[in-house]
Amino acid sequence: MKTLKIAIQKSGRLNEKSVEILKNCGLTFENYKSSLISTVTNFPLEILFLRDDDIPEYVQDGIADLGIVGENVIVEAGADVCYLQKLGFGKCTLKIAVQSTSNITELAQLNGKAIATSYPVILEKYLKANNVDAQIRNISGSVEIGPGLGLSDAIFDIVSTGGTLKSNGLKPFKDVMNSEAVLICNKELEFNAEVRELVQRIQSVLRAKATKYVVLNVSKENLQAVVALLPGVKSPTVVPLFEEGWVAVHSVIAEQDFWEKINSLKAAGAQGIVVMPIEKIIT
Ligand code: ATP
Ligand code: MG
């Protein structure tokens, strides 16, 4: 059996969550901050800790078999890899921003203007697709100070809260790309048995994270109304309580509409609601 190599970020925004998702898949390994490689003891896998910028090309060239990295970094690197699974963390948006005082309202007004960025490839593609002829100033960091220094008329960068833009006298103008961390693999390994196994484990962890296990009590006359609110994996489990006329209902509910659901359950007659995290859902 081939030992696979997965590349994850050594340190930075994606490191902790990447390690966490692999551990939640039941993989056992030491996470030494100082070492660049770690061996998983219960799966044929080695973990390489790298700068995120290097991950797409390493996976494309087969130096690593798999990788966890932001979609923005893959597109910027122009790497030809196989996307296996979005991972739900490292979410951000790449935006064009202009000075707060700017009167730019249309993309066409960027014609002939200079835009500072660390993501020239993504920006160039976007400008081309929108027939904008602007000059791209490629700088490696702190692009937000560009307009203030007269280096550029606009910037193109990752924006999460917008706080950095604001404190540099800038405002968002156009959203260009949404990104999150994804699991990728070398194109030749898409159907490799160990790769499929890893993808399945990751998917069961993601499904579990998106749901909660709920147990509640309800009187038989309110049962239909409560069950109608609960999908369950197949359908809810209903078991009798010792007290005549009452049952306990077991089910799973989506994390995203959790509070709304709990309130509707209470209104429908549910009592003693207990909510528990789910570790894995294997379908
Ligand atoms: P490295 O040292 O590995 O090159 P880095 O400094 O390039 O790290 P980080 O700042 O750790 O990268 O960000 C890693 C990824 O996290 C980004 O490429 C992006 O996909 C994602 N991300 C999510 N939110 C943000 C944010 N607010 N700013 C920057 N990146 C973000
Ligand atoms: Mg980087």
Side-chain angles (χ1 to χ4, degrees):
M1 201 189 294
K2 177 178 153 73
T3 296
L4 298 171
K5 293 188 182 72
I6 184 167
I8 67 172
Q9 192 188 26
K10 180 169 169 54
S11 63
R13 287 189 161 87
L14 304 183
N15 167 268
E16 209 173 294
K17 290 268 172 62
S18 304
V19 167
E20 184 186 301
I21 204 161
L22 294 178
K23 294 218 154 151
N24 287 342
C25 285
L27 304 178
T28 310
F29 57 95
E30 301 284 353
N31 183 24
Y32 291 128
K33 280 277 168 219
S34 56
S35 68
L36 297 177
I37 187 158
S38 184
T39 303
V40 174
T41 55
N42 56 355
F43 196 81
L45 186 70
E46 281 176 338
I47 301 168
L48 313 181
F49 297 94
L50 301 172
R51 286 282 310 273
D52 70 345
D53 314 64
D54 296 330
I55 294 175
E57 272 186 38
Y58 274 37
V59 172
Q60 173 190 277
D61 298 344
I63 295 160
D65 304 302
L66 296 135
I68 294 179
V69 68
E71 290 171 283
N72 58 312
V73 179
I74 304 169
V75 177
E76 188 60 34
D80 191 17
V81 294
C82 173
Y83 283 61
L84 293 169
Q85 179 65 46
K86 290 192 185 224
L87 299 173
F89 62 88
K91 287 188 176 172
C92 58
T93 306
L94 284 90
K95 301 186 186 199
I96 298 175
V98 294
Q99 284 186 295
S100 314
T101 51
S102 165
N103 55 8
I104 292 183
T105 52
E106 302 284 326
L107 262 180
Q109 288 173 277
L110 288 174
N111 275 313
K113 299 280 199 300
I115 310 174
T117 188
S118 313
Y119 297 96
V121 175
I122 298 173
L123 179 59
E124 194 181 345
K125 268 193 197 151
Y126 179 77
L127 294 178
K128 227 180 212 162
N130 288 282
N131 293 315
V132 176
D133 186 18
Q135 186 197 348
I136 298 174
R137 290 252 159 96
N138 185 10
I139 52 178
S140 60
S142 307
V143 297
E144 303 87 356
I145 59 169
L149 294 176
L151 178 75
S152 66
D153 305 288
I155 68 156
F156 173 62
D157 204 3
I158 292 180
V159 178
S160 34
T161 60
T164 315
L165 288 185
K166 211 168 183 185
S167 60
N168 284 285
L170 300 167
K171 63 179 178 190
F173 165 57
K174 276 276 181 264
D175 288 9
V176 173
M177 177 187 182
N178 291 317
S179 174
E180 68 183 89
V182 287
L183 176 72
I184 54 170
C185 78
N186 181 275
K187 282 216 146 163
E188 289 180 10
L189 290 171
E190 188 180 354
F191 302 107
N192 169 283
E194 282 73 40
V195 168
R196 294 326 307 175
E197 167 71 22
L198 205 60
V199 171
Q200 270 190 17
R201 288 198 196 185
I202 286 182
Q203 286 173 344
S204 73
V205 170
L206 293 173
R207 267 195 299 270
K209 225 180 181 166
T211 49
K212 299 271 182 237
Y213 194 84
V214 185
V215 180
L216 56 85
N217 296 332
V218 63
S219 68
K220 277 187 179 161
E221 57 268 29
N222 289 329
L223 180 61
Q224 281 308 327
V226 163
V227 166
L229 295 165
L230 294 167
V233 171
K234 196 161 190 156
S235 78
T237 307
V238 180
V239 283
L241 290 191
F242 185 67
E243 190 178 327
E244 199 56 44
W246 282 77
V247 291
V249 178
H250 295 230
S251 185
V252 294
I253 59 176
E255 169 80 54
Q256 69 195 34
D257 51 26
F258 177 76
W259 286 110
E260 208 182 309
K261 201 60 127 191
I262 291 293
N263 289 333
S264 339
L265 286 169
K266 271 166 49 181
Q271 295 182 10
I273 305 173
V274 177
V275 180
M276 288 163 278
I278 299 175
E279 195 174 300
K280 292 179 185 69
I281 296 182
I282 292 109
T283 55

